[in-house]
């Protein structure tokens, strides 16, 4: 029935499967022979007993010899069965080894494919490219966070005016100057005239006096 089903479905049993099935059938046949030898051995023993009981000693002796022959056949057949069973076990082991070898071969193919996709050379190339990209992003971040653009046009006079305004605000907050005195204009002055240097010196002197007043106010 199984062979017919395999024929109808188009599947063909493997050579290993057919061999193992044949070995099992042979074992079954030999086990049947063992049972027959055992039955005949028992019959000869019973016959020898009856012949000896009736006084036929030679006949009883022959019956026991035949019984011994059957017992020898039983031992021999058992040895054959053991060899057949060992053969089946070896066949199973060899089939497992074939399956394992095929699996390992597929694994090796997969590993080779992975190595080809991520070889040491390609990995090193990717890492170097990634390092360059990170460095470029870092340079972009540094450029975008550069504050030098906000310092364009900040000449010495502008710095002085800012310092004066900071000093006046500090004096106002500390109580050294009245709020009405903080009227310094934050707008740039007119173009530099001929007495610009004198005015700059006066501004610096005034700034120094304000700082001195602030320090004295903080110490009091």
């Amino acid at each position: 029935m199984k062979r017919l089903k395999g024929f109808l479905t188009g599947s063909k049993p493997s050579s290993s499967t057919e061999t193992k099935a044949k070995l099992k059938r042979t074992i079954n046949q030999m086990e049947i022979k063992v049972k027959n030898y055992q039955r005949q051995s028992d019959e000869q023993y019973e016959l020898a007993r009856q012949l000896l009981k009736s006084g036929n000693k030679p006949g009883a002796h022959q019956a026991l010899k035949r019984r011994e022959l059957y017992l020898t056949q039983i031992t021999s057949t058992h040895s054959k069965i053991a060899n057949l069973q060992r053969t089946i076990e070896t066949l199973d082991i060899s089939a497992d080894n074939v399956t394992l070898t095929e699996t390992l071969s597929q694994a090796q193919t997969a590993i080779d494919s992975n190595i080809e996709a991520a070889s040491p050379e390609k990995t090193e190339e990717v890492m170097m490219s990634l390092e360059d990209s990170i460095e470029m992003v870092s340079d972009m971040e540094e450029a975008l966070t550069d504050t030098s653009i906000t310092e364009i046009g900040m000449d010495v006079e502008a710095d002085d005016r800012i310092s004066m305004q900071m000093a006046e605000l500090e004096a106002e907050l500390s109580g050294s100057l009245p709020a009405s005195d903080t009227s310094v204009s934050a707008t740039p002055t007119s173009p530099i005239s001929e007495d610009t240097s004198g005015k700059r010196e006066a501004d610096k002197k005034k700034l120094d006096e304000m700082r001195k007043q602030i320090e004295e106010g903080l110490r009091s």
Side-chain angles (χ1 to χ4, degrees), residues 103-150:
T103 303
L104 292 175
S105 178
Q106 293 176 0
Q108 181 64 44
T109 302
I111 292 173
D112 292 341
S113 177
N114 293 337
I115 292 176
E116 182 179 358
S119 62
E121 295 80 7
K122 185 170 294 186
T123 302
E124 183 177 0
E125 180 182 353
V126 171
M127 292 301 296
M128 291 179 63
S129 177
L130 180 60
E131 183 177 356
D132 292 340
S133 298
I134 293 175
E135 186 175 354
M136 290 177 61
V137 172
S138 179
D139 293 341
M140 292 170 58
E141 183 71 11
E142 183 178 354
L144 291 174
T145 56
D146 187 8
T147 60
S148 61
I149 189 174
T150 62

Side-chain angles (χ1 to χ4, degrees), residues 22-213:
K22 186 175 182 179
L23 289 171
K24 288 182 177 180
R25 289 195 300 269
T26 303
I27 290 175
N28 292 335
Q29 293 172 358
M30 288 189 173
E31 287 177 345
I32 294 173
K33 288 184 178 181
V34 168
K35 292 179 180 180
N36 290 333
Y37 291 146
Q38 186 64 52
R39 177 180 55 79
Q40 291 173 344
S41 173
D42 294 341
E43 290 176 352
Q44 292 300 318
Y45 182 79
E46 185 63 28
L47 178 61
R49 183 179 181 183
Q50 292 177 2
L51 291 174
L52 187 60
K53 186 177 181 179
S54 62
N56 189 354
K57 189 174 181 180
H61 187 270
Q62 290 294 326
L64 291 176
K65 289 178 63 175
R66 288 192 296 272
R67 178 177 183 270
E68 189 64 25
L69 178 61
Y70 291 133
L71 291 176
T72 302
Q73 290 295 331
I74 291 174
T75 302
S76 176
T77 305
H78 275 307
S79 298
K80 293 177 183 178
I81 291 174
N83 289 332
L84 291 174
Q85 289 175 340
R86 180 64 184 276
T87 302
I88 292 175
E89 293 173 358
T90 304
L91 188 60
D92 289 336
I93 293 173
S94 64
D96 292 340
N97 290 338
V98 170
T99 302
L100 179 59
T101 302
E102 292 176 351
T103 303
L104 292 175
S105 178
Q106 293 176 0
Q108 181 64 44
T109 302
I111 292 173
D112 292 341
S113 177
N114 293 337
I115 292 176
E116 182 179 358
S119 62
E121 295 80 7
K122 185 170 294 186
T123 302
E124 183 177 0
E125 180 182 353
V126 171
M127 292 301 296
M128 291 179 63
S129 177
L130 180 60
E131 183 177 356
D132 292 340
S133 298
I134 293 175
E135 186 175 354
M136 290 177 61
V137 172
S138 179
D139 293 341
M140 292 170 58
E141 183 71 11
E142 183 178 354
L144 291 174
T145 56
D146 187 8
T147 60
S148 61
I149 189 174
T150 62
E151 300 176 358
I152 296 176
M154 293 294 181
D155 55 10
V156 177
E157 291 186 359
D159 289 338
D160 291 343
R161 288 194 299 273
I162 292 173
S163 298
M164 290 177 62
Q165 294 175 41
M166 286 294 297
E168 291 176 356
L169 288 173
E170 291 175 354
E172 178 183 345
L173 293 174
S174 65
S176 299
L177 293 177
S180 59
D181 290 341
T182 58
S183 58
V184 179
S185 175
T187 58
T189 59
S190 58
I192 302 174
S193 60
E194 294 179 357
D195 60 345
T196 301
S197 59
K199 184 176 181 300
R200 183 182 303 171
E201 292 295 332
D203 291 340
K204 289 184 177 180
K205 185 176 180 181
K206 184 179 180 181
L207 178 61
D208 292 337
E209 292 177 355
M210 288 183 178
R211 289 178 177 172
K212 186 176 181 181
Q213 292 176 2

